[in-house]
Amino acid sequence: MPDPTPPHTPPAGTAQRPLHRWRGGLPQPQLDVVAEEVPVAMRYNGAAFSVMMATPCDLEDFALGFSLSEGLITAPAQLLAVEVRPQLEGIELQMTVAADAPGAALDPDEERLLPGRGGCGLCGTRQLEDVLRPLPPIRERRTYAPAALQRALAELAQHQPMNAASGAIHAAAWADASGRIGWVREDVGRHNALDKLIGALHHNEHAIDGGLLVISSRASYEMVSKAVRAGASVLAAVSAPTALAIDLARSAGLCLIGFARESGFNVYTHPERLQADEPSR
């Protein structure tokens, strides 16, 4: 649980709001730290794609990771520019993509796509056939020691300042072969957190397939899809996976782990990726 006494300056991605805290049958006026959630409009070469409810931090990482995982660009170099435009109602991410990028084919005159909630992984999808797009098979099928995953899980909370303050933020983390956490991104939406992490790794030219992905949420099929498209070999979720997520992970070659705790975890697909010896390829 977050500290009931909020800091004077809340961490980025959070805000202070007044409340009455009831203790011992009496209300006590206080300030609480809560997660920020704002509409973020995703626009490509002037065309609207979707509106996501997101935490307004690491938006350049969000733009790149979302564009890659949603198939609007096929390589980071196709995202030519990102402009963050604060608006009265929220934030616009104006993205310029290369002419050969899929996002360049959006029709600016078409009334597009449904708004995306913080937990939405189907934002911008109207056709059923778009939901289950084929996933590329994972090429780098690395193995890791279980101790590496346990170390990453033990360290995850230390890298979640927004959640420590508010108790309402998801995290996505990348850990190396020893389990040391190198990159973390937080967001009120679990999909957004993973997109931001993917974007951050690409911005820093860091190989995703050289480590483990750890998420603080459940493993829905959208999270599996994003992890596979990013090139991850292992995705570990603190909560449960869905049946479809398991099926997709098995077919794509992703090691999917659920109910991940420092004390133990469930391996649903490709258990050969976790071995008790030194990590290898």
Side-chain angles (χ1 to χ4, degrees), residues 35-233:
E36 285 196 284
E37 184 178 30
V38 303
V40 179
M42 317 296 283
R43 302 182 69 90
Y44 292 86
N45 292 5
F49 182 73
S50 67
V51 177
M52 306 296 295
M53 297 304 299
T55 302
C57 295
D58 304 306
L59 293 177
E60 290 81 5
D61 291 337
F62 187 32
L64 178 56
F66 181 90
S67 300
L68 286 165
S69 66
E70 294 298 320
L72 293 155
I73 59 175
T74 57
Q78 288 185 322
L79 183 59
L80 304 179
V82 178
E83 184 179 354
V84 180
R85 294 185 179 179
Q87 307 287 334
L88 181 62
E89 303 85 357
I91 297 172
E92 278 191 355
L93 289 184
Q94 292 279 359
M95 288 166 275
T96 303
V97 298
D100 59 344
L106 299 178
D107 185 353
D109 296 324
E110 181 181 350
E111 183 181 350
R112 284 203 67 86
L113 316 171
L114 302 175
R117 299 177 295 278
C120 178
L122 295 177
C123 309
T125 301
R126 285 191 183 274
Q127 304 298 327
L128 286 175
E129 57 267 27
D130 291 335
V131 175
L132 297 180
R133 292 172 290 179
L135 294 177
I138 293 174
R139 290 174 292 183
E140 295 289 344
R141 304 194 175 195
R142 300 171 184 262
T143 61
Y144 298 89
L149 175 58
Q150 292 170 316
R151 177 184 177 184
L153 291 165
E155 293 182 359
L156 182 60
Q158 304 169 25
H159 297 269
Q160 296 180 254
M162 295 185 209
N163 190 61
S166 70
I169 297 283
H170 284 297
W174 181 93
D176 65 17
S178 72
R180 183 184 63 85
I181 291 180
W183 303 93
V184 179
R185 289 294 182 268
E186 292 186 274
D187 195 276
V188 71
R190 63 187 189 277
H191 306 96
N192 303 339
L194 184 52
D195 281 335
K196 288 179 176 181
L197 175 66
I198 293 168
L201 290 167
H202 278 290
H203 273 142
N204 290 277
E205 299 182 352
H206 206 87
I208 295 174
D209 63 4
L212 307 141
L213 291 185
V214 181
I215 56 176
S216 65
S217 65
R218 64 187 175 96
S220 57
Y221 92 91
E222 311 98 302
M223 301 296 275
V224 166
S225 177
K226 289 177 184 293
V228 170
R229 291 180 184 279
S233 296

